Amino acid sequence: MSTSAPAGLETALQSGLSPDEYALIIRRLNREPNAVELGVFSVMWSEHCSYKSSRRHLGKFPTKGPCVIRGPGENAGVIDIGDGDAAVFKMESHNHPSFIEPYQGAATGVGGIMRDVFTMGARPIALLNALRFGDPEHPRTRRLVSGVVSGIGGYGNCVGVPTVGGETNFHRGYDGNILVNAMCVGLARTDRIFYSAAPAADLPVVYFGSKTGRDGIHGATMASAEFDADSEAKRPTVQVGDPFAEKLLIEATLELMGTGAVAAIQDMGAAGLTSSCVEMAGKGGVGVELNLDLVPQREADMTAYEMMLSESQERMLAILEPGREAEAERIFTKWGLDAAVIGRTTSTGRIVLRHKGEVVCDVPLAPLTEDAPLYDRPWVEETRAKRLDPAKVPAPEDWTTAILTLVGCPDAASRRWIWEQYDRHVMADTLEESGTAADAAVVRVHGTPKGLALTCDCTPRYVSADAYEGGKQAVAEAWRNLTAVGAQPLAITDNLNFGNPEKPEIMAQFVRAVEGMAEACRVLDFPVVSGNVSLYNETDGRAIPPTPAVGGVGLLSDWSRRAAYSTMAPDDILLVVGVSHGELGASLYLREHLGREDGAPPPVDLQAERRNGDFVRALIRDEAVNAVHDLADGGLALAAAEMALASDLGITLEPSSQLHAHALLFGEDQARYLIATPEPETVIARALEAGVPVSPVGRAGGRSFASGDLFDIPLAVLREVNEGWLPNYMSRTA
């Protein structure tokens, strides 16, 4: 197709645009777009780039706070952590690419989220991930797990940034559409934060990094569409990553920033060169003109369309201060990067592209950015699951079987097979990794006594049962996990993974989850500073479980005063902080032992969350406890089993409660912590004074996990079951 000829409605539909959107483009331009212009509109108006179905509701999030330097709208969020230091962080999805090509999809997800962070002027210091796979018995699941984990480890390990935490779940709802959410955290100085808005006209636009190829073309559009039986054919839309090139890019970018030559900067992520130049010019209220003949190209005879829509990895776009081109070129040459001045900013408010002497694109920027379509999708009030009476939920006939089933189930079994493939200690500042010995990862702020606590959290089965309460719980659990290591929670990023927003029932899940999250963020003073929305996670019309993942960041003023659940000591008394009602709806016990997925999730009392969390944090600060563990999946039984395994020390549970034993041990009531202390009387007295409910539930010691006449399981057996499931599963040949 000629670049100057009208593209036509059929091409627009193939590019993911609707007939109404194509008609709107014609009205905005007063003519039909050509192929290149249509490609630019299609990616900028994709759900992945425009947030056209979600923007109305994202405004409900609180985004400001005492520590917030920069909230949503930039490549990553920025918070003040004191002493002139800033933490820069974001979470983003690479779901569709990882399903089609698991290794490269996951690897480039890691590379892309790191670029979002160092584009702001921060050196990446930690990676986390939230992974959701299908039923372990599904024929594709094992290959997807292997590819995704290898891709994450292969990229992060080679770049030299530690992967310090995350979560991995399995459910048949993800059989046809797995989720791979990557989070990166970096450190910068508060007076050296870089932004993407072009500040003025007539400034040079510099491309640097790897050459542009044909990989990843229309990746943003692919990420904004449902899957079907032909999804394998979309493999060419998956990018190919080079972690060694990324390492060079990090060093060159940070060195360039140190010279003062950078006026604005943006990585080339989703929609590649199109999104980077459009967003930089659009945010700055200027125009941009590029000569595509000057773009470094990896393949021969690339068209303007291919260059603008390629999502080749490890590429950046910078706008330089006047006359600084030679200085920048010396840095790029030093680090062995391809680079070229490919254009200039203008005062026209338009994007103009030239290729082989021809103007192949000339459109106003406003319709591509702030004037892009914005939908108010219809939604219906969700049907919320009803509360289950714990007394009417069957107790185990065989308690030992019930405990071992829970400890060894896919969602609770040890993730050692996964995290041993990640370099968790490169950079030498990792103090704790989440999920191995602590509820949140802890990473030192190098050269200071400060530490950052990091976590990823969501319980999709809660959101499926009640999106509002599930949204609240995702935020509350992140807040609780940071608190459980002694950190003051500061802010969150999010990754909102849902199905097709054009279906009112799916849009209802999204709206209500956002509203629940927003309430929790307000009450807990836990603002949202960055995030990502991933919609159309469906295959053949079947949506994934709603999964609003939350990435939380907290601060330890003194990292030596932190807590873990691996540090319980002999004869410690175990106390539960918080009230136990025995809520079994949507619980792990219900699903794994009884084979049921019904009932309302446990309600989230945000005032109790705050009161109980502040109390636990004070105990940690005063060194009044030896170990702390958040109570969540599996309730007291699973938390105590994990504490026993991590500490390599037995526990005897002796709870005194009017609840049925199975409700007390497996109930997933919120706002609770399991603490181990040598000073129970002191802790109980402090709790009484603070108005915080605390109850003794057991004692540490011995070599078994036991509770009265219910069960007595040797630690060795507990460990074998907990650590055996995943490696045994991954080693199976059929």
Side-chain angles (χ1 to χ4, degrees), residues 400-410 412-414 645 713-728:
T400 296
T401 297
I403 295 290
L404 294 179
T405 296
L406 206 63
V407 168
C409 75
S414 168
L645 290 173
I713 305 170
L715 273 188
V717 173
L718 200 69
R719 189 177 306 282
E720 181 182 4
V721 171
N722 179 252
E723 295 194 356
W725 180 80
L726 191 52
N728 290 339

Side-chain angles (χ1 to χ4, degrees), residues 449-656:
K450 295 181 296 189
L452 288 178
L454 317 169
T455 188
C456 291
D457 295 288
C458 182
T459 309
R461 62 182 188 276
Y462 291 175
V463 192
S464 295
D466 185 328
Y468 186 79
E469 286 297 322
K472 285 167 59 179
Q473 193 273 343
V475 172
E477 186 171 355
W479 194 88
R480 207 158 56 234
N481 283 338
L482 298 174
T483 292
V485 298
Q488 178 64 51
L490 295 181
I492 71 168
T493 183
D494 61 54
N495 206 140
L496 308 178
N497 306 275
F498 290 81
N500 184 345
E502 297 168 47
K503 298 178 180 178
E505 66 275 16
I506 299 297
M507 198 64 206
Q509 291 176 340
F510 180 86
V511 172
R512 293 297 285 160
V514 165
E515 290 174 348
M517 293 171 68
E519 181 187 355
C521 288
R522 281 191 295 271
V523 174
L524 298 174
D525 290 329
F526 206 24
V528 180
V529 298
S530 61
N532 172 244
V533 177
S534 176
L535 302 177
Y536 295 95
N537 288 289
E538 299 201 1
T539 299
D540 295 328
R542 295 188 299 274
I544 61 162
T547 311
V550 172
V553 174
L555 179 67
L556 286 151
S557 57
D558 180 355
W559 55 255
S560 69
R561 294 197 173 198
R562 66 185 189 279
Y565 58 78
S566 60
T567 46
M568 180 176 61
D571 296 324
D572 275 352
I573 300 301
L574 274 65
L575 307 174
V576 167
V577 176
V579 178
S580 300
H581 297 289
E583 295 290 344
L584 289 169
S587 67
L588 209 58
Y589 168 77
L590 203 69
R591 190 181 77 191
E592 298 298 331
H593 187 66
L594 298 178
R596 295 168 49 182
E597 296 188 46
D598 60 321
V604 180
D605 181 337
L606 294 168
Q607 297 297 339
E609 288 282 2
R610 182 152 197 163
R611 180 185 64 244
N612 297 355
D614 290 348
F615 173 73
V616 169
R617 204 177 307 110
L619 292 179
I620 296 169
R621 182 193 62 226
D622 296 341
E623 300 180 319
V625 291
N626 283 335
V628 179
H629 199 358
D630 159 50
L631 265 65
D633 285 351
L636 173 59
L638 187 56
E642 290 173 341
M643 187 178 283
L645 290 173
S647 301
D648 194 28
L649 184 63
I651 286 177
T652 300
L653 293 175
E654 302 167 344
S656 56

